[in-house]
Amino acid sequence: MPGSTSESVTAVPQVSTRADFERACFRGAEIPAQYRGSNTVAGGVLSVLDAAGVEMVPLFHSLLGALGPAADDAVTAFADELVQGLRDAGPLDGLVLYLHGACWAPGFPDVERYMIERARAACPDLPISVPLDYHGNVDAATFAAADIAVAYRHSPHIDMGETGERATRALLRLIETGERPGLAVARPGVVIPSILSATALEPLASLIAMARAEEASGDCDISVMGGFAYADSANTGMSVICLDWQGQQAAQEKATRLSAALQAARAALSDAIPIWQMDAAIAEAARLRGSGAPVVILEHADRMNDSTHGLRAVLDADLGRVMVPFLLDPGSAAAAHAAGAGAEITLQLGGKSAPETGGPLELTARVLWTGEKRFNVSGRYQQGAPVDLGLTALVEVGPVRISITSHFAFAVDGDPFFIFDERPEDYDVILLRSKTHFRDYYTPLAAAILVTDTPDLGPADVRLVRYTQLDTGRVYPRCAETADPTE
């Protein structure tokens, strides 16, 4: 089981290098040691294989998250390692190849397709099963060399382990029976921003329920995928994958039918929740202050965790106790560490990844804690997975606390508080930079969640995204009508 995944924002200037992937990479016996029992794809794969008494040959696993483009040499290096690993492993019965679906590199029209094709060329007769992220951009060509493809069903991705299980059970069924399922992809020609891709939102929730109903009436597995609007590919956008043991025609019919339903609901999908301007969100947070639960201000357009738009706003407002977790700035973390706990230090904080992030914010802060931080996720999203923040600092500017990290990490549950022996409930306002994963933890906790739009690289209005590879004349909302919803 190999896997090398990243969700790539094409417009981010910082490239995810081979060294970045290596920092997050586990190989061989490290994979079961790190992921067995976790709510991750690897954890799900392991649980099924362990229960079946099947021997696994783990190759590598590297998961970076939502960052900038992947470097071409990183893609080829891991593809080469995959091929060499398959050759060195000797006779194999099947391959689980975990890929994201929205990895983007300048030299590859479809990174996932390239990885699958390299595996197929190395082992022409080997059954290949591909578990994917719900936010992948895929089409039929992506899986031309694969036998099985399934994706997360939930966003937030609380079913990562279950997805690994589905992919592995389907692979074992193919191996044991020799029966090959139909595999079809249909695309509705709809692009939605990440913030509107939460699977509990309507009408998306009802459309996904249609997929579950189709599964209940047939021997199939259907993945409704939200796509990833910020990776500029020819296949950017929503899609439906159907794996059907009744054959290719049945798979195509179901995928096409659900794709047509998504296409018909395109306007409602693109207008599922209100989006606040930052000044209005600050005013609303001030009004709700003291309600007994924290107000979450969500800066979803920040793609690199270093935007300063929201930080400026909360520093200028009277909101009570405020936490800004996991702001990415290795230089400021190092400066705080050099100063030491208790020191006052002037920082040029954040806003360094791109001009759109708001530029560095000069502030004087008191250092509360510094050091290396590692932990295992406690929330349902990726529960049990290891997280390495690198050199980290917790600083305070009046009533506002900021945790500054050296490595990108999602702040979507209680861990950014727990690792400093704090609780989210102790704050009046929490400024998050997330897209959908925060919903699982914060929806029942928060007094309100105010989704704000800022002039960053992930706008809620995808008509503002600069595309060169995507044919925008065939996708909604860039055009009022879309292409035929068949593949």
Side-chain angles (χ1 to χ4, degrees):
M1 183 202 74
S4 183
T5 67
S6 175
E7 185 177 81
S8 303
V9 182
T10 306
V12 167
Q14 288 75 22
V15 173
S16 296
T17 66
R18 182 177 177 182
D20 293 326
F21 282 96
E22 286 292 343
R23 179 184 58 78
C25 191
F26 298 97
R27 290 184 169 85
E30 294 177 328
I31 297 174
Q34 289 287 340
Y35 290 100
R36 183 171 274 120
S38 66
N39 183 21
T40 61
V41 170
V45 173
L46 285 160
S47 68
V48 171
L49 296 182
D50 288 346
V54 174
E55 179 184 1
M56 182 180 75
V57 181
L59 297 182
F60 57 86
H61 182 285
S62 181
L63 178 60
L64 280 189
L67 293 172
D72 286 346
D73 66 337
V75 175
T76 55
F78 278 101
D80 290 345
E81 182 174 351
L82 168 62
V83 169
Q84 191 61 51
L86 292 173
R87 290 170 177 164
D88 293 344
L92 295 170
D93 296 311
L95 170 66
V96 179
L97 180 58
Y98 173 37
L99 300 170
H100 184 281
C103 184
W104 189 93
F108 297 89
D110 187 333
V111 170
E112 282 74 18
R113 176 181 178 183
Y114 172 74
M115 296 292 287
I116 296 167
E117 289 178 344
R118 288 291 305 273
R120 173 60 66 215
C123 301
D125 301 319
L126 188 69
I128 299 175
S129 178
V130 184
L132 297 146
D133 194 290
Y134 162 84
H135 289 111
N137 296 322
V138 300
D139 54 26
T142 303
F143 306 118
D147 301 282
I148 293 162
V150 300
Y152 310 155
R153 290 173 170 170
H154 296 278
S155 183
H157 304 328
I158 57 174
D159 63 327
M160 294 176 71
E162 180 187 330
T163 304
E165 293 174 4
R166 288 161 50 213
T168 308
R169 289 196 186 103
L171 180 63
L172 292 181
R173 176 175 175 177
L174 188 161
I175 293 168
E176 292 165 1
T177 67
E179 179 186 7
R180 291 185 177 272
L183 179 59
V185 180
R187 293 172 47 77
V190 177
V191 178
I192 59 173
S194 302
I195 197 63
L196 300 183
S197 68
T199 49
L201 297 178
E202 291 291 357
L204 186 55
S206 294
L207 294 166
I208 291 173
M210 291 174 56
R212 303 290 79 81
E214 290 273 15
E215 291 174 339
S217 63
D219 193 4
C220 62
D221 185 300
I222 300 174
S223 302
V224 176
M225 298 182 68
F228 188 60
Y230 310 111
D232 178 18
S233 303
N235 57 10
T236 296
M238 303 186 79
S239 60
V240 179
I241 304 173
C242 183
L243 184 77
D244 200 312
W245 298 92
Q246 297 177 33
Q248 186 63 31
Q249 182 177 345
Q252 191 64 64
E253 289 174 355
K254 291 183 178 72
T256 300
R257 186 158 54 245
L258 279 162
S259 179
L262 290 170
Q263 199 263 356
R266 60 193 180 276
L269 289 167
S270 300
D271 192 30
I273 60 170
I275 306 295
W276 295 70
Q277 294 303 306
M278 184 60 73
D279 57 352
I282 294 292
E284 180 69 359
R287 186 183 72 82
L288 294 172
R289 175 184 167 187
S291 61
V295 175
V296 171
I297 298 176
L298 194 79
E299 197 170 2
H300 79 94
D302 176 12
R303 305 311 306 194
M304 288 294 287
N305 279 8
D306 77 331
S307 175
T308 55
H309 298 292
L311 180 57
R312 281 189 173 87
V314 297
L315 286 171
D316 289 341
D318 181 13
L319 298 176
R321 294 196 71 203
V322 178
M323 172 59 93
V324 183
F326 290 4
L327 190 144
L328 180 65
D329 189 336
S332 291
H337 185 68
E344 282 205 350
I345 182 173
T346 298
L347 298 171
Q348 299 291 326
L349 184 61
K352 300 181 177 78
S353 65
E356 293 86 350
T357 59
L361 175 59
E362 183 174 309
L363 51 79
T364 299
R366 183 166 65 94
V367 181
L368 302 178
W369 183 93
T370 72
E372 297 283 339
K373 273 291 183 187
R374 295 179 178 84
F375 63 94
N376 291 87
V377 175
S378 69
R380 290 201 294 175
Y381 168 65
Q382 291 194 340
Q383 187 171 64
V387 177
D388 178 7
L389 300 179
L391 192 59
T392 300
L394 181 65
V395 304
E396 186 174 66
V397 184
V400 178
R401 287 190 174 182
I402 309 161
S403 55
I404 308 169
T405 70
S406 294
H407 299 154
F408 182 96
F410 293 114
V412 296
D413 53 27
D415 288 332
F417 298 84
F418 303 153
I419 61 175
F420 296 111
D421 296 322
E422 295 190 327
R423 304 184 314 151
E425 295 91 335
D426 295 333
Y427 286 84
D428 297 297
V429 171
I430 301 170
L431 177 66
L432 293 180
R433 289 170 300 279
S434 180
K435 290 77 189 169
T436 64
H437 302 314
F438 70 95
R439 291 183 181 277
D440 185 58
Y441 186 86
Y442 281 100
T443 296
L445 175 72
I449 295 173
L450 309 176
V451 178
T452 65
D453 220 4
T454 55
D456 218 312
L457 294 173
D461 185 351
V462 298
R463 292 173 297 183
L464 302 176
V465 179
R466 296 185 294 273
Y467 294 110
T468 60
Q469 302 302 313
L470 179 65
D471 182 355
T472 56
R474 293 170 55 85
V475 297
Y476 185 88
R478 296 297 283 266
C479 65
E481 299 300 325
T482 66
D484 189 283
T486 58
E487 176 58 33

